Every structure is written in C-alpha cells, then in structure tokens.
Amino acid sequence: MIRPVLMTALLAAATPAPDSLQLNEGNIPQIVEAMTLKEKATLLVGSGFKSMLAGNLGEKGVLVPGAAGTTRAIPRLGIPAVVLSDGPAGVRINPTRKRSPGKTFYATAFPTGTVLASTWNEDMLQEVGSAMGSEALEYGIDVLLGPGMNLMRNPLNGRNFEYYSEDPVLAGKMAAAMIRGIQSRGVGTSAKHFALNNQETNRAGNDARVDDKTARELYLKGFEIAVREAAPWTLMSSYNKINGEYAQSNRWLLTRVLREEWDFGGLVMSDWTGKRDTGAQVAAGNDLMEPGLNSQIREIVRQVRRGVLTESEVDACVTRVLELVVKTPRFREYAYSEEPDLQAHALVAREAAAEGIVLLRNEGVLPFGGDVSTVAVFGVAGYSCILGGTGSGHVNAAHAVQLPDALQARGITAEPALRGIYENYLARNRVSQGMLGAGIPAEFAVDPSPWTGADAAVFVIGRQAGESGDRHVEDDFLLTDIERANLEAISSAFRAAGKKVIVVLNIGGVIETASWKDLADAIVLSWQPGEEGFAALAGILCGETCPSGRLPMTFPIRYSDVPSSENFPYNPEPEDIMGPFKKHRDRGRPNVDFTEYAEKLGVGYRYFSTAGKEVSYPFGFGLSYTVFSYDSISAAVAEDGSAEVRVCVTNRGNAAGKEVVQVYLARPEAAVPEAGAPVTRPALELKGFAKTSLLAPGESQTVTVRIAPYILASFDAESGSWSLPQEPLFLAGPNCAELPLSAGCRDL
Ligand code: GLC
C-alpha cells in the first residue's frame, strides 16, 4: 500500500504546480489563468522612475540606468521586466554608470525627426531606424520610445523638432519607415503621442477640441498609416484630452478607432503621467501605465473588487503586455554587448543629415568654388552645433562635428582668430548645445569688418526648444534685434568687399525668413542635424553632396498668417507650462486649459494653397545644384480604389542629384476661405511621393507612386464614413506651389 505522503509526492510530480508554469509564446492564456488579480494589476503598471533617475537614485537593481522605464517582473511565472527607453533621435541612457567605472554608454545622436522627414526618403529612414534599433538592442533595450509623429499644427510647438511634418501622409510614411527599420532588429517601437498632443503648454491638462473630419483626416491619419504599414509593437497615449476625455482613457480612440478600425494588434502604454482614473484607462484599452505608481496597482484591484472594472477588461490588457514581453530580446535572453557599432552608425547619421539638409536660397554662391579657401564663420552655433532638441528627445552623444573642423577637412579654413573669439565666449559662458536657447547666441555679436579678407562669410543662427514648453514669437520665431543687426553688418561689410554671405539655420522649428532673406546670398537649413550633421553641411557647402532635402512644413511670411495662431498659446506664463505630475485645475483658460482647432483642415499648405496666400518658402520646397524637368505623367485607378501615378523626370543640369517627386490630389473647385474662415475642403492634399535615385546629368527616371484607398479617401462626418473621389485629378511637381503636370484617372 503506497503511503499517503508518497502518493502526494507522486501526484505533485505528475501535474505541474502553478509555480512551475513558466511564460512562453504558446501559453499566454494559461499564464493569465494562473495569475492572481494582484499579479495582473502589477503587470499593467510600470516600475516607476528608478530606471530613468538611476543617476540620482542609485543603480541597484536597475537593468539599464537612464532608460525611461520598465514593466514589472513576475518571477513566479517566468515573466521578466522589459526595458523601455527614449527616444526618436537615438537611445537616451546614462552615458556613464557608477557600477561600471571607466566604461561609457554613449549613443549616436541621429538627426532629429524634422531632418529625417526633410529627406522624403523612406529607404533612408529605414536605414536610420535599423542603426538605431541595433543600438537599442546592444544596450539591452526592448522598446525604443519613438517615433514622435504628432502633426505640426503650429510652428511654435516646442517639440516640433522631434516630429515630422504638417502633412499626415509624409508624417505617416516617414514614421512607418522608421518603425520598420527599428523593429527589423527585433526591438519594439512606440509611435507617439497618440493623439493630438500638438502643444506643450499645459500638455497634461489641455483639451484639444477638434471636429471629427479634421481629427480623422489630419491628426489621426499619420498614426493610421504607421499602424497599417508598419505594425508598431506599441503606441504611446498622449497626456492631453481630446474633446473632453483624456486620450489615455479614451475608449473611442484606443479601442474603437485603433483596434477595431485599424486592426492594431499591439500594446498601448501611457505617456509618463501621474495617477489618473486607472480603471477607466484599463477599460479604454490603455494596457500599461508608465512610469507606474504602486497606488495604480491598488486602484486596479480595488476597482475590480467593486465591480467598476471587470476582470476580463484587465485580462485583455494583461494578455497584450504578455504578448509584448514574449517578443522582446530580454525574454529571448539575447546576450547584448553594450558595445554598439557607433562608428558605423555615425556614417548613417551623416548620410541622413546630408539628405535632410534643405537649400532654401542660392544666388550663385554654392557650392564653394576653387576661389573659396578661407571663410569667416559667425554665430555661436557655428562653433557649437545644436544636435537636437531638449527633453526626452535628447541623446548623450560621444562627439559632435563642428563646422570649422568639417570645413578644414575639406581644405577650407575658418578664420582662426575669429574662431578663437567665439570659442572663448563659449568657454566663458559654458554654453553647451543643450543650452543654446533663443537669444543666447544672439547676445553675442562680432563686428565683421576685420574679417572681410575671408573669401566668404557664414553666419550660423541657432535655436533651441524642447519638451514641456512652447516657443515664443519674439526673439525666437523672429530674429532678435542683435541677430538682425549682426546679419545686416555682415551682409553690408562682405558685400562691400565683393564677398558672398551664407546663412545656416541650425534650428529645431520654423522661424521667420522673409524679412531678411535678401541679406543672404545663400540660406542652408541644417535643422538640428545630429552629431555628424555639420560634417554633412560642409559636404553640401563644398559640393561633395548635391542638396536634396525638401521642406516638410511651410515657412510662412509672418506668424499671424498661420491660421492656428488664433488658437495657440502666445508667450504662455511659466505656471501654464505645468508638468504632467501637477494636479491640473481647469480654469477655462483658452489655449491653456482648452484649445479650439477652429482652423479645421487649414494647417500648413492646406490653408496657404487653398487661400492663395503667399509664403516665404512653401511645403515641399528645396533647391538643388541641378535642375529637373517634369516630362510626363499618367494616372490610373484600380478596382479596389487604389491609384497609381507614374511620373518621368530628367536631370537637365550639370550636377548629379536626387529629385523628390510629389503627387497631390487637386480640388480645383475648393472654396477659397474668406479671411479667418476654416478650411473644410483643401485645394491640395499630398497623397504620395517618391525620391529618385542619384540621377546623372541627362539621366531620366520614371517613378511610380501608389496610393492606397484609405489614404485617397476623405471622411464624411455626417455619415461617419470614408468615400473615394469620383474622378480624381492628380498634380505632380517639386513642391506644392510648383505642380507642372496633371492627370485625370483612367481605369487600370
Ligand atoms: C515624456 C515624453 C515622452 C517620453 C516619456 C519618457 O514626458 O512626453 O515622449 O517618451 O516621457 O521619457
């Protein structure tokens, strides 16, 4: 007779006790079944700030010091914590660790989102994404918190530097390419900030009030493209409200639109918010609360026990967290090296910058000819490049190429004594690239007259902005008085000496250009081009690279021309720029507690082209060192409503170059809004684009632009449905103001 104790032991061995149940890709339902409610709640809440603040709070138990956050582990069931790290321009982690003296953990500062979008080159973004994903992988990161892809509703949004465009098709296609690139390395992404996070002022309390059609066609369309074309592992729900409901607990947004309509299969994590109505967030489909507070775990348990939240709603989120975990390198126990190939990635960063730099003006001065061997570089940013914006989008780079060195490498000397003056100023003022805010560089001006012996003048104007604050008009969008005086002095002194003046814009967002562009013979928009950006700039100035960047947004003549300027914070008070952890009391302040998107579709060229309003530089604009002819176009529509537009272009100049062919849907009948009226039917909408390969002089290329029905269609708010244009008219050309070719549609 077998003794009872032996029987128990035998039985136990036969049926695995729950504790021996370990997570794998095939047993997620069983794991969920085996979890206690407390464990489930724990999995939906991040581990807090100890990872991001490891530099101050200590590194004990922190997987990747400086990473933005992690999920929580449940060892009993073999569920590891996974690591979430910023950002859109590269991995943001602590460059040194107390626990690893002598070792460094730098990352590549890639060009910012705006530079990448200015390339209009999906292959390039996929390549940047692959390099960025490789760095995340080798640093032990499981999800990279990017791309940032909110629409540039207004030029003064502080975070525009890390976003792509005023147009949802360009933004969506760029984001999709980035996501594909990063995820090709087996690391996840988080398309952010979903959605309508279009200002930084009171970002965690502001209510974006927008009509359905505008939301669908403008502010959600880019995310829709990214989801449908690249399947990001995660999305990040934004701080703000949308029509009165926080995005993070907005079931219409996170479940109805994102999952039921767009068939999104991934996870939604919140942006780094304090505790809100956690139960409502879970019920809406916000799966993971980041950075995570213990009180949120208790709240979930409490709300299930009270029946306010059902356990099946919790289980849906738990399942999605587990589906994310099993995909991660950490779950797969990837042995990361902590030594990514920064040298190889620096070259990728340089190439991307070279394709994203935009030549705005060139009165026969660029590229430098053999007659230029010395240049006088003015402007603090000329000696301290602003690599990227501030906040979570910052990257700790090991190096940054400065313009004088990059020019020297190409045989052009920057006046050494002038360099000494600026570098002395920088040393005295310890102005680092993160500090170059509006006005700082302009407070320092140098009399140009002693330097007119140089062959040309280069004046670099710098601007800085970033997370949690919007820009100002005075001394930011506009040149400061000292900048303007310095430019005028440089221009008159060098022109009097028969020399040329080149202005470089090392900026993160649009500034005013119309009032001073004639003072410069050339204007090169480098944006915030990353650690290798000024090497790329020197390559363009010296003709090594033919500029092929195109504007992903409009440069208006004046800020007040921008329709949303009527409804955007203007010089907000510091107390309005409250962080996401302060309790927001809605005091009914326009553009702070709520923002009316009264302009509707009147954003960027959708307004300026429809209203026929002049701009300084139009959407899609960019000069080259060669010229392209637009030779032919054909368009056809298939049964499924997709369209195909073929365009042939030829390089008619003397330099090899790349052209960005842009295809717009035209509505000749679009009503011209009287001043101030909203735009509900834009005269033009970008529907696709293609960048040619490098074409030699005389070489032609026919590009094919395919347009999916969901991109071609427009939304009818009445019926809540999408409809395709009956007889679409397509226009093609180099930018929204130059569209020489047109084609109606024949059936495919
Ligand atoms: C920030 C940003 C978000 C970032 C997150 C983690 O507040 O809004 O873009 O990924 O917190 O740093």
Side-chain angles (χ1 to χ4, degrees):
M1 206 277 269
I2 299 180
R3 286 205 304 263
V5 69
L6 185 57
M7 173 60 86
T8 311
L10 286 173
L11 274 176
T15 49
D19 284 4
S20 70
L21 183 64
Q22 296 292 287
L23 175 64
N24 65 53
E25 288 178 74
N27 69 354
I28 288 176
Q30 289 83 346
I31 291 287
V32 176
E33 181 71 27
M35 291 171 83
T36 65
L37 176 57
K38 172 85 184 303
E39 287 173 330
K40 293 177 182 177
T42 299
L43 204 58
L44 304 189
V45 176
S47 62
F49 272 116
K50 60 176 182 293
S51 175
M52 186 190 284
L53 303 179
N56 307 316
L57 304 182
E59 299 169 359
K60 190 168 176 315
V62 173
L63 294 168
V64 180
T70 76
T71 60
R72 294 186 191 223
I74 301 185
R76 176 176 85 84
L77 296 166
I79 303 171
V82 298
V83 179
L84 318 168
S85 173
D86 291 309
V91 167
R92 179 177 76 118
I93 57 174
N94 296 348
T96 57
R97 294 175 190 171
K98 296 188 185 73
R99 69 190 187 205
S100 314
K103 202 166 162 9
T104 58
F105 303 84
Y106 288 109
T108 301
F110 290 94
T112 59
T114 300
V115 186
L116 297 177
S118 301
T119 69
W120 290 63
N121 185 335
E122 292 172 84
D123 294 341
M124 175 57 74
L125 265 78
Q126 200 152 319
E127 193 183 342
V128 169
S130 175
M132 216 182 269
S134 162
E135 289 194 16
L137 180 70
E138 293 311 324
Y139 275 135
I141 290 155
D142 300 293
V143 178
L144 192 62
L145 301 174
M149 55 179 294
N150 291 92
L151 211 75
M152 295 175 180
R153 170 177 178 255
N154 183 285
L156 299 185
N157 176 11
R159 290 185 85 168
N160 276 348
F161 76 93
E162 55 188 339
Y163 298 155
Y164 290 126
S165 177
E166 70 187 26
D167 178 84
V169 170
L170 181 57
K173 294 287 187 179
M174 295 290 101
M178 197 67 183
I179 290 162
R180 285 194 296 270
I182 293 169
Q183 295 186 170
S184 71
R185 313 298 301 189
V187 166
T189 57
S190 195
K192 66 188 188 180
H193 307 85
F194 191 58
L196 285 107
N197 183 177
N198 303 106
Q199 69 184 60
E200 287 301 293
T201 300
N202 191 24
R203 59 178 172 162
N206 179 264
D207 182 17
R209 295 178 181 171
V210 65
D211 65 283
D212 248 8
K213 181 179 175 69
T214 303
R216 294 283 194 152
E217 291 189 9
L218 268 194
Y219 296 99
L220 299 183
K221 183 57 72 178
F223 286 98
E224 182 180 4
I225 294 171
V227 165
R228 288 182 188 277
E229 300 193 5
W233 287 12
T234 82
L235 253 65
M236 185 185 291
S237 57
S238 58
Y239 288 124
N240 56 285
K241 294 175 189 168
I242 302 170
N243 297 328
E245 173 69 67
Y246 276 113
Q248 295 176 350
S249 47
N250 193 316
R251 186 171 174 77
W252 170 80
L253 183 72
L254 304 182
T255 295
R256 167 76 195 286
V257 172
L258 179 60
R259 292 188 163 109
E260 292 168 5
E261 289 187 27
W262 300 351
D263 199 21
F264 175 63
L267 171 137
V268 174
M269 70 175 82
S270 70
D271 198 344
W272 267 232
T273 324
K275 179 170 172 295
R276 289 175 167 175
D277 182 344
T278 316
Q281 289 172 312
V282 172
N286 193 110
D287 308 301
L288 176 63
M289 314 304 149
E290 284 292 338
L293 301 163
N294 294 335
S295 58
Q296 291 171 316
I297 298 174
R298 293 193 293 273
E299 176 78 358
I300 292 170
V301 172
R302 190 168 38 239
Q303 294 214 12
V304 169
R305 292 210 170 122
R306 287 189 188 149
V308 176
L309 183 64
T310 67
E311 188 141 4
S312 61
E313 285 168 325
V314 171
D315 290 353
C317 296
V318 169
T319 299
R320 290 190 285 257
V321 174
L322 294 174
E323 286 168 346
L324 172 69
V325 169
V326 297
K327 288 197 283 195
T328 61
R330 192 165 297 275
F331 181 77
R332 296 167 185 280
E333 297 178 347
Y334 175 76
Y336 52 91
S337 66
E338 296 185 327
E339 288 171 2
D341 190 347
L342 298 183
Q343 268 188 318
H345 300 161
L347 294 179
V348 175
R350 182 183 304 193
E351 258 177 62
E355 288 241 357
I357 289 173
V358 185
L359 181 59
L360 293 176
R361 180 183 173 87
N362 187 18
E363 300 298 305
V365 62
L366 294 176
F368 288 145
D371 57 339
V372 175
S373 59
T374 308
V375 293
V377 176
F378 298 94
V380 173
Y383 300 90
S384 179
C385 176
I386 306 170
L387 310 188
T390 58
S392 59
H394 175 74
V395 177
N396 295 304
H399 77 281
V401 174
Q402 298 307 338
L403 186 55
D405 301 325
L407 289 170
Q408 194 61 63
R410 290 162 180 81
I412 293 182
T413 303
E415 281 287 0
L418 180 58
R419 177 173 188 171
I421 293 171
Y422 276 101
E423 289 181 339
N424 188 295
Y425 169 85
L426 277 162
R428 282 200 324 273
N429 292 276
R430 287 189 300 284
V431 176
S432 73
Q433 69 96 4
M435 289 286 293
L436 282 170
I440 293 183
E443 291 322 305
F444 184 73
V446 173
D447 172 7
S449 38
W451 313 102
T452 53
D455 300 317
V458 177
F459 182 30
V460 184
I461 292 174
R463 283 290 182 278
Q464 184 55 293
E467 183 172 347
S468 82
D470 292 313
R471 295 171 53 206
H472 289 190
V473 174
E474 289 74 23
D475 296 347
D476 190 348
F477 179 80
L478 300 173
L479 295 191
T480 64
D481 295 343
I482 290 183
E483 272 171 341
R484 182 177 299 277
N486 203 189
L487 175 56
E488 283 164 354
I490 292 167
S491 185
S492 58
F494 275 77
R495 284 176 168 174
K499 311 293 177 65
K500 303 284 189 182
V501 177
I502 297 96
V503 170
V504 173
L505 300 179
N506 180 201
I507 58 179
V510 174
I511 66 169
E512 189 275 330
T513 51
S515 69
W516 55 264
K517 63 172 71 169
D518 293 340
L519 293 172
D521 300 295
I523 301 174
V524 186
L525 174 57
S526 74
W527 293 121
Q528 294 175 337
E531 64 185 42
E532 289 284 330
F534 274 13
L537 170 65
I540 283 176
L541 295 177
C542 300
E544 210 174 86
T545 309
C546 176
S548 64
R550 299 287 185 272
L551 290 180
M553 82 295 280
T554 306
F555 272 61
I557 289 175
R558 56 192 76 77
Y559 175 66
S560 57
D561 290 349
V562 176
S564 62
S565 61
E566 290 294 311
N567 294 283
F568 194 82
Y570 192 96
N571 297 346
E573 294 306 320
E575 59 103 13
D576 296 336
I577 308 178
M578 278 199 282
F581 285 88
K582 281 202 164 171
K583 204 93 194 94
H584 287 272
R585 199 162 41 82
D586 184 344
R587 301 204 296 273
R589 297 163 296 174
N591 307 324
V592 176
D593 295 307
F594 68 91
T595 298
E596 293 290 357
Y597 284 43
E599 74 282 352
K600 295 183 188 280
L601 295 170
V603 172
Y605 73 88
R606 279 177 168 77
Y607 164 70
F608 290 105
S609 303
T610 306
K613 181 98 176 169
E614 199 191 349
V615 298
S616 187
Y617 295 107
F619 173 79
F621 178 80
L623 296 176
S624 170
Y625 290 152
T626 186
V627 284
F628 295 92
S629 62
Y630 277 70
D631 311 323
S632 66
I633 184 172
S634 67
V637 174
E639 276 293 302
D640 67 357
S642 61
E644 193 174 277
V645 182
R646 294 169 187 271
V647 178
C648 177
V649 295
T650 302
N651 181 343
R652 303 288 183 189
N654 305 317
K658 296 184 178 181
E659 174 64 333
V660 176
V661 176
Q662 299 161 35
V663 174
Y664 295 78
L665 177 68
R667 287 195 191 83
E669 78 289 354
V672 178
E674 64 272 9
V679 171
T680 55
R681 287 176 61 74
L684 284 181
E685 288 179 331
L686 180 76
K687 292 299 180 186
F689 55 91
K691 191 163 198 174
T692 68
S693 48
L694 187 66
L695 299 180
E699 194 177 354
S700 300
Q701 182 177 344
T702 296
V703 296
T704 300
V705 175
R706 289 185 180 79
I707 306 166
Y710 81 94
I711 289 180
L712 193 53
S714 52
F715 186 76
D716 173 64
E718 288 295 300
S719 60
S721 63
W722 294 87
S723 61
L724 288 164
Q726 286 316 306
E727 293 170 8
L729 172 64
F730 292 108
L731 305 182
N735 63 70
C736 72
E738 285 176 75
L739 297 167
L741 298 180
S742 67
C745 262
R746 57 177 175 75
D747 292 340
L748 262 181

